[in-house]
Amino acid sequence: MKNIVILISGGGSNMAAIVKTAQRDNWHDKFGARVAAVISNKASAGGLVFAAENGLATHVLDHKAFASREDFDAALASVIDRYEEPGRPVLLVLAGFMRILTSGFVSRYEGRLLNIHPSLLPAFPGLHTHQRAIDAGCQVAGATVHQVTAELDHGPILAQAVVPILPGDTADAIAARVLTQEHRIYPQAIADLLRHQ
Ligand code: GAR
């Protein structure tokens, strides 16, 4: 069985979309894959409730309890690696996980570490993407699913979705429009990856 481990920090709506698609499309039989666990760096992350209600293992690793980024990432990796099965490395999915990972962590999981970012990369890596798109006079916004590499919000692009920026839009309005598309492209990109493995 290929185990998928999802990392979250907040509401976890992308995680929920992935879990629902995996159930609906029977990734278990189709790809020999399942979402095995959800890990949050915040105990208050709303997504943990959904994950537990859906029978997934949940873990909280509070980054503030660790002296350094390296220590946190080492603890994170040791939890993730519990889900490895012989010959079947974990697929690691960042879904609103708001921590910068060390290059050591990224290289350990490189090629099987995915992220979704709320902009049309390579435009607007980092934070406040929708406000920056408004300020730049962009007419479209969007989201990108990409492989994670050492450079923040870079790495090979697997899927993108575009939405319009409408007159008078706030960053929140764009975020909601983009999020709907995220829920479509992220599960689809993961299914495409599983299909070709
Ligand atoms: C999503 O919009 C995701 O693209 C973004 O956080 C939100 C999480 O929502 N991720 C980042 O900004 C990563 N840098 P969710 O918790 O409801 O899935």
Side-chain angles (χ1 to χ4, degrees), residues 128-135 141 165 168-178:
H128 310 300
T129 54
H130 304 311
Q131 189 58 51
R132 286 157 66 205
I134 292 171
D135 294 346
I165 295 179
D169 261 350
T170 60
D172 284 349
I174 298 169
R177 197 174 300 134
V178 168

Side-chain angles (χ1 to χ4, degrees), residues 10-15 95-96 98 116-118 153 179 182:
S13 68
N14 276 291
M15 174 271 298
M98 303 305 281
I116 190 157
H117 181 75
D153 298 331
L179 200 55
E182 294 186 34

Side-chain angles (χ1 to χ4, degrees), residues 41-57:
N41 64 313
K42 290 193 174 173
S44 60
L48 290 169
V49 176
F50 173 92
E53 282 173 1
N54 280 268
L56 304 177

Side-chain angles (χ1 to χ4, degrees), residues 33-188:
R34 62 165 187 148
V35 181
V38 174
I39 306 174
S40 172
N41 64 313
K42 290 193 174 173
S44 60
L48 290 169
V49 176
F50 173 92
E53 282 173 1
N54 280 268
L56 304 177
T58 59
H59 304 268
V60 175
L61 273 183
D62 182 354
H63 59 275
K64 294 198 204 98
F66 295 86
S68 67
R69 236 175 240 288
E70 284 73 17
D71 287 355
F72 173 70
D73 283 6
L76 191 56
S78 75
V79 175
I80 293 163
D81 290 349
R82 285 187 220 161
Y83 294 94
E84 298 276 4
E85 291 192 15
R88 308 240 39 200
V90 158
L91 177 64
L92 192 53
V93 171
L94 310 182
F97 185 66
M98 303 305 281
R99 296 290 305 163
I100 293 174
L101 296 163
T102 57
S103 57
F105 182 95
V106 170
S107 61
R108 179 179 184 137
Y109 296 101
E110 198 155 349
R112 53 194 179 98
L113 175 52
L114 307 183
N115 183 42
I116 190 157
H117 181 75
S119 80
L120 294 167
L121 291 174
F124 308 125
L127 298 174
H128 310 300
T129 54
H130 304 311
Q131 189 58 51
R132 286 157 66 205
I134 292 171
D135 294 346
C138 296
Q139 299 191 350
V140 293
T144 303
V145 179
H146 65 101
Q147 299 264 12
V148 176
T149 54
E151 197 179 349
L152 182 70
D153 298 331
H154 281 70
I157 291 172
L158 301 179
Q160 289 186 308
V162 182
V163 304
I165 295 179
L166 303 172
D169 261 350
T170 60
D172 284 349
I174 298 169
R177 197 174 300 134
V178 168
L179 200 55
T180 308
Q181 296 303 312
E182 294 186 34
H183 297 162
R184 181 178 62 78
I185 63 171
Y186 211 0
Q188 200 171 67

